[in-house]
Amino acid sequence: MIALHQMKIIQIDITNACVNKCSNCTRLIGHHRKPFFMDFETFKQAVDSLVEFPGMVGTIGGEPLLHPEFEKFARYLERRIPDKKRRGLWSTIPKQYSARYGELIKEVYGNLYLNDHSIDAILHQPVLVAAKDAVPDPVKMWSLIDNCWVQTYWSATITPKGAFFCEVAAAFDMLFDGPGGWPVTPGWWKREPGEFTEQKERWCPRCGCAIPLPRRKSTEEVDDVSQGNLGELTRIESPKVRRQRIALFSGECMPEDWNPHPNWYMSEVEEEAQYRKRIADRLGGEGDPEQTS
């Protein structure tokens, strides 16, 4: 794992409400329970804590545009992080919001990561297949976790419950009523891997991101779940479980040469280019938006 100050991005999770019901969402949205909406004071505290962070400050969800105070949040981020290149947005750009927020987005955000998960080429890792259920050998399990692509290539994050070393760990904490993260104070992002232990030991064994598991098309709207996490989803009365939009883990793992970094999942360059342009066109302008899972 890497130190938080080495990360290129730290996210602020302003909501987990979303227009999609994707398979194996890394935000653990999947319509398992009622969504949250970060309040403005918490957002201000989050942004203020990252003013000195050298990398990008991201706004993410769920779908951030569903937040009723999105414009207010964006303008505050703009004031506190003057360098446009350090401001990022992760969004599906829902069509009903493109006219309302298009110009605002282009003014405020120097980095747009646009993905509406509408094509079958997008594959998602089985987040809810617990590492401890898939890999019985604890030595091997922790070796895989310590080299997890999410923590290495993605980001730490801030939710209404505090700061976390990993955005997926933060999502688990929110979904399963965890104790919350670190206090959101200036410099919290200077932590080294040795300071992640409590969060890592609580959530990583319940997460499948680091484990070589078959991925599922995001458009299927089905979550792969191992037995232990299914019990927790049942406890919180997940509507997705009630609707039987889950698949119980079969025990199948991938070969040793499995690619541990599934960010680049498009099989055809032309298909990807057309897909990205279709979403960008909702903003009514030119550009080369990037894409995230």
Side-chain angles (χ1 to χ4, degrees), residues 38-189:
M38 180 179 282
D39 65 66
F40 184 55
E41 289 304 312
T42 301
F43 181 77
K44 286 170 59 179
Q45 185 179 26
V47 173
D48 293 349
S49 78
L50 296 171
V51 168
E52 300 301 323
F53 172 65
M56 189 191 309
V57 179
T59 303
I60 199 169
E63 174 46 64
L65 273 58
L66 297 183
H67 197 293
E69 295 185 287
F70 173 73
E71 182 172 1
K72 186 176 181 180
F73 282 23
R75 291 304 186 191
Y76 187 80
L77 180 68
E78 181 181 38
R79 290 197 301 274
R80 295 293 286 138
I81 309 294
D83 184 355
K84 188 175 182 179
K85 294 180 180 178
R86 289 188 57 221
R87 304 192 295 260
L89 176 67
W90 276 248
S91 175
T92 70
I93 310 295
K95 293 179 181 179
Q96 64 269 39
Y97 290 94
S98 58
R100 179 178 177 182
Y101 291 132
E103 290 304 314
L104 172 73
I105 290 169
K106 288 187 285 186
E107 287 177 19
V108 172
Y109 296 98
N111 300 276
L112 306 180
Y113 295 79
L114 310 181
N115 188 345
D116 68 3
H117 298 83
S118 62
I119 59 176
D120 288 344
I122 300 173
L123 304 178
H124 281 180
Q125 179 77 7
V127 184
L128 285 165
V129 172
K132 62 184 179 182
D133 292 338
V135 183
D137 180 354
V139 175
K140 184 174 182 180
M141 180 192 75
W142 283 112
S143 176
L144 290 166
I145 287 171
D146 285 338
N147 291 283
C148 181
W149 57 270
V150 174
Q151 203 277 337
T152 302
Y153 295 105
W154 283 12
S155 68
T157 197
I158 300 170
T159 78
K161 296 178 65 179
F164 295 83
F165 82 104
C166 168
E167 59 185 271
V168 181
F172 268 100
D173 181 87
M174 186 65 69
L175 179 64
F176 289 149
D177 304 311
W182 302 308
V184 181
T185 55
W188 70 266
W189 46 267

Side-chain angles (χ1 to χ4, degrees), residues 215-258:
R215 296 171 188 138
R216 183 181 293 274
K217 295 176 182 178
S218 66
T219 53
E220 293 181 30
E221 300 186 357
V222 170
D223 283 354
D224 295 282
V225 181
S226 61
Q227 191 64 55
N229 283 333
L230 177 58
E232 282 297 293
L233 291 173
T234 302
R235 177 186 65 80
I236 65 171
E237 300 181 343
S238 162
K240 201 163 189 177
V241 172
R242 189 166 58 247
R243 295 195 306 270
Q244 298 184 328
R245 302 303 297 169
I246 57 100
L248 193 62
F249 174 53
S250 66
E252 179 188 4
C253 289
M254 300 297 283
E256 292 296 325
D257 60 355
W258 169 81

